[in-house]
Amino acid sequence: MKNKIRRSPPKVSDPGAPKPRRPEKRAATGKPDGAQRVERTPARAADRREEPVRSAKAEASAPPPERLELRAGERPGERVPLILESPGAGDFHLIDSGHGLKLEQYGPYRIIRPEAQALWPPALPAHVWERADAVFSGDTDEEGMGRWRFPREALGETWPLALLGVDFLGRFTAFRHVGVFPEQIAHWTWMKERIEASKTPLKVLNLFGYTGVASLIAARAGAEVTHVDASKKAIGWARENQALSRMDKAPIRWICDDAMKFIQREERRGSRYDIILTDPPKFGRGPNGEVWQLFDHLPAMLDICRDILSPRAEGLVLTAYSIRASFYSIHELMRETMRGKRGTVESGELVIRETGVDGKTPGRALSTSLFSRWVPK
């Protein structure tokens, strides 16, 4: 028998937690569909990728919002479990994973980052990993901070990337992210196909939009896009990506705002959207210190999103990262939220398939996040 080879990953530390504030209350309003409406207590959302975490002690002081009551009507059909796989696309592919790490290719750079769900040993030999251009070490949590090490040579802060016909900038951030979440390719491809198949321009709302890759893909396909993020840095980055993609005249509204506040205003204005993408953090802060707690505030957020869907809506997509829950939790929440809307709720996991150094050799599937998606048919 061959001896097993053990490879030691970089050391990482444990995360902290953000400081919350008391959420505001929202009065009930009557709506069509025969659906019951009740008082909501929304929290304010934030960009999980740009703000440092706060103390858990302070977090416990804020009371959770009141729970929603059951809506009237039949629940939509269901399709579970649905595993949406991204083998890689454009300038990205997953080379290998294991021992709590993942080895990825982003354009010309080979990058190593923490990945707690990579429980198995790496499939490729050590010398492949040793050729990495950048290695992130530090906190393994989504909100945790750390540092980048460049073993081969010093690299610049940014570099150009392309995905689904859109150019954008990769960036080495202190929160281990590089500006794109490739597992979302599955949702973005789904969205792109529906926009291109529509006879009239669709209106897309991208909540917690981060660096705008999804917004640019939607606009390139022919949609009118509203992009919302609480981080000024993220909005600035998104505008850089717009310029790099030569889409300065694309119909995109870039809005730096708290996501919950924004959708509340849109509901009062009677604004409607055909596709809504929402990628909320586990917890985070808005531009004025507002606090978002996913388990407390997600039901109210989805409830409002339902009400700002247009009569000809194509879908509502929720992605949830780094939470201790089954996809069934958000699946059943989505089905309850969409009572009376018919259609189907599809839920499961987003995974990325290893494809080796050449990007063509299929390997293991790495789970990255949970999702739930309502579609009208």
Side-chain angles (χ1 to χ4, degrees), residues 20-26 38-44 59-69 260 264 291-301 304:
R21 299 191 183 187
R22 184 181 300 273
E24 298 173 335
K25 287 191 175 182
R26 182 181 180 280
V38 299
E39 183 176 87
R40 290 187 285 229
T41 310
R44 300 162 179 173
E59 178 183 322
S61 63
E66 296 176 11
R67 299 296 179 183
L68 303 178
E69 293 183 5
M260 187 68 86
Q264 285 179 284
V291 167
W292 166 268
Q293 300 281 359
L294 187 135
F295 285 105
D296 290 338
H297 305 134
L298 181 60
M301 187 199 74
I304 300 172

Side-chain angles (χ1 to χ4, degrees), residues 7 95-97 103 121-129 356-357 364:
R7 305 180 181 90
I95 300 172
D96 193 15
S97 61
L103 178 64
L124 298 179
H127 70 81
V128 175
W129 288 71
V357 175
R364 298 160 300 200

Side-chain angles (χ1 to χ4, degrees), residues 306-340:
R306 174 210 160 104
D307 287 338
I308 60 175
L309 285 171
S310 74
R312 60 169 187 164
E314 292 285 341
L316 168 60
V317 181
L318 165 68
T319 308
Y321 287 84
S322 300
I323 64 171
R324 295 180 180 179
S326 163
F327 75 84
Y328 262 112
S329 299
I330 59 174
H331 173 72
E332 295 295 359
L333 172 62
M334 184 69 82
R335 290 189 77 200
E336 291 298 336
T337 300
M338 302 307 292
R339 274 185 181 272

